[in-house]
Amino acid sequence: MAPYESDDNATAADAEELRSARRRKAARYVVPATVVGIAAATIGLVPALADSGDPDLPKISAQELIEKIAASDVQQLSGTVKITTDLGLPDLGGLESSLGSAAGPSGSGDGSSADPSTKLTELASGTHTLRVAADGEGKQKVSLLEDAAEYSLIHNGKDVWGYDSKSNSVFHTTASESDGKQKEELPATPKDLAEEALKAADKTTSVTVDGTAQVAGRDAYRLVIKPKDEGSTVGQITVAVDSKTGLPLKFTLTPASGGSAVVDAGFTQVSFAKPAASTFDFTPPKGAKVEEGDAAKAPEHSERSEHPGDFGKGSADKFGKGGPEGLNVIGDGWDSIATFDTGGQGVPSGSEVGGDVGGFLDSLGDKVSGKFGEGTVFKTRLINALITDDGKVYVGAVTKDALVKAADAAK
């Protein structure tokens, strides 16, 4: 269904009200690194009515559906989520073995395969099945199911536990009393991915309601988000929103280049009943190696804005301590490009590095040149990055040509 003309009633106050509503929600998770990236910077509220379909649901406008998502206050749930991520990265082959050996027996640099900071990076590629449960702000659990093994991340009050059954290893940390939140936050659900794509409101995006669907046995509306910018690598985002609770049940991001989805995350089973209290209990098994992490400290005051439209419009202090020094963003909306100077040389060629690592670099990178000089573009199906030979970096969910143009304009 084609998007209608922009809604003049969608004001900045409306956007602020939606952001405030989202911040009040209890159960929060973190999106895996660069899943949505800079692409999910902005969205315009464009009203459209839902097509008739199966299931037959009352008509709703896009803005009304977005408000329904923002007002959703599901604090208790359990279910199964299937996540498939396909960034188009080449098979690591021997490189994976080399890196694994260098990292140590657990495959992580610190020797603990139960550390969430390393274990959950597995969600960045391939297909995975998660069991999830939540009971308010203080209790969440995510289990990553593997062949004959399981990794669980459990937040229960002040305690956060990571447990890898394969290696019988445990990671434990606590939240500070002043902060009251877990240090290691849990990975993404469809709701979190959807909220990343709905953080702000402007006219760079068309948003429509395109019919209905059934997800995990629940009736849902299909919210379709499309960038208007031609330079974006994002084709469209489709969010299946539960018609009763407003909870996003499925999130699909397809690239402008076509083909399979880059990210497809959705519930295959979900219940909104209160999980049993024992779901969040954990005691290290006998003989398990337990690593204690540092207690989380309350974050210092940061000037970082939650409005993606403010992303990089000022100096690096916009990012608090979360970004590289000197990081700035050029462009607007889906064409936004983050840029910073490493202060060093560019990336060596594969022939200079040699071996498996050199082959991996060559498989990812394309040599480019322009007014800026020469550099290498490292590409995936969603996020591309240009690293110039003098150490400047340009990265975004944009095409290779857009990166080269940005680097030329900066000279």
Side-chain angles (χ1 to χ4, degrees):
M1 182 173 183
Y4 286 26
E5 294 298 318
S6 60
D7 183 1
D8 293 334
N9 294 323
T11 64
D14 295 330
E16 178 58 32
E17 182 179 351
L18 296 185
R19 287 193 294 274
S20 296
R22 285 192 297 272
R23 289 194 291 267
R24 292 194 296 266
K25 299 305 167 288
R28 309 293 293 177
Y29 301 90
V30 168
V31 179
T34 71
V35 165
V36 178
I38 300 169
T42 52
I43 168 178
L45 305 182
V46 183
L49 297 181
D51 292 332
S52 60
D54 186 15
D56 187 14
L57 296 173
K59 292 182 178 181
I60 189 171
S61 73
Q63 182 163 341
E64 288 170 338
L65 190 52
I66 290 169
E67 291 170 352
K68 192 176 185 71
I69 295 172
S72 177
D73 194 20
V74 174
Q75 298 191 31
Q76 298 173 339
L77 66 81
S78 59
T80 304
V81 176
K82 182 178 179 181
I83 298 179
T84 299
T85 308
D86 180 12
L87 289 170
L89 295 173
D91 186 0
L92 297 181
L95 176 63
E96 187 175 42
S97 300
S98 300
L99 294 178
S101 299
S106 69
S108 64
D110 61 7
S112 172
S113 63
D115 187 341
S117 64
T118 55
K119 187 67 178 179
L120 295 178
T121 58
E122 294 179 15
L123 298 179
S125 64
T127 298
H128 303 276
T129 300
L130 304 176
R131 279 203 303 258
V132 301
D135 186 7
E137 186 177 35
K139 295 182 179 181
Q140 297 101 32
K141 180 178 180 179
V142 173
S143 296
L144 173 60
L145 308 183
E146 302 170 315
D147 293 337
E150 180 176 313
Y151 175 80
S152 292
L153 181 58
I154 305 151
H155 170 219
N156 192 346
K158 294 179 181 178
D159 289 306
V160 178
W161 298 94
Y163 175 61
D164 184 4
S165 67
K166 181 182 293 186
S167 61
N168 197 29
S169 59
V170 175
F171 177 88
H172 176 246
T173 188
T174 58
S176 69
E177 293 183 5
S178 59
D179 189 37
K181 296 179 181 178
Q182 69 271 34
K183 178 180 178 182
E184 302 293 346
E185 297 186 49
L186 303 182
T189 65
K191 177 180 179 180
D192 309 307
L193 295 167
E195 287 185 340
E196 284 297 304
L198 296 172
K199 277 186 174 177
D202 67 18
K203 296 182 179 181
T204 66
T205 308
S206 73
V207 184
T208 61
V209 180
D210 186 18
T212 62
Q214 270 218 339
V215 177
R218 305 280 301 185
D219 292 348
Y221 294 102
R222 295 178 71 252
L223 186 70
V224 177
I225 305 166
K226 291 184 179 181
K228 295 179 180 178
D229 300 328
E230 294 182 356
S232 175
T233 56
V234 176
Q236 72 175 39
I237 292 171
T238 304
V239 183
V241 183
D242 185 67
S243 62
K244 291 185 177 179
T245 67
L247 179 74
L249 299 173
K250 186 175 177 64
F251 175 98
T252 305
L253 188 157
T254 54
S257 59
S260 62
V262 173
V263 180
D264 187 32
F267 282 96
T268 58
Q269 182 275 326
V270 65
S271 169
F272 297 113
K274 180 182 176 69
S278 59
T279 302
F280 310 100
D281 292 339
F282 180 78
T283 300
K286 184 177 180 180
K289 176 185 176 182
V290 180
E291 179 190 4
E292 291 290 338
D294 295 331
K297 297 181 180 179
E300 298 178 6
H301 176 70
S302 169
E303 295 296 326
R304 180 171 181 172
S305 170
E306 293 191 20
H307 191 304
D310 294 336
F311 186 73
K313 288 187 176 179
S315 59
D317 62 2
K318 283 279 188 184
F319 301 87
K321 297 183 179 180
E325 182 178 355
L327 187 147
N328 198 8
V329 170
I330 54 180
D332 295 311
W334 301 81
D335 284 343
S336 296
I337 297 173
T339 178
F340 60 94
D341 192 341
T342 65
Q345 299 298 313
V347 177
S349 66
S351 59
E352 292 175 313
V353 175
D356 293 326
V357 176
F360 180 68
L361 287 174
D362 281 342
S363 69
L364 283 180
D366 289 338
K367 289 294 184 181
V368 294
S369 61
K371 295 178 182 178
F372 64 88
E374 296 185 342
T376 304
V377 172
F378 293 91
K379 55 192 182 297
T380 72
R381 299 177 68 215
L382 182 64
I383 305 296
N384 295 323
L386 165 61
I387 304 178
T388 65
D389 286 353
D390 59 358
K392 294 182 176 60
V393 178
Y394 301 83
V395 60
V398 297
T399 63
K400 177 175 70 174
D401 291 343
L403 294 174
V404 171
K405 183 178 179 179
D408 281 343
K411 290 300 290 182

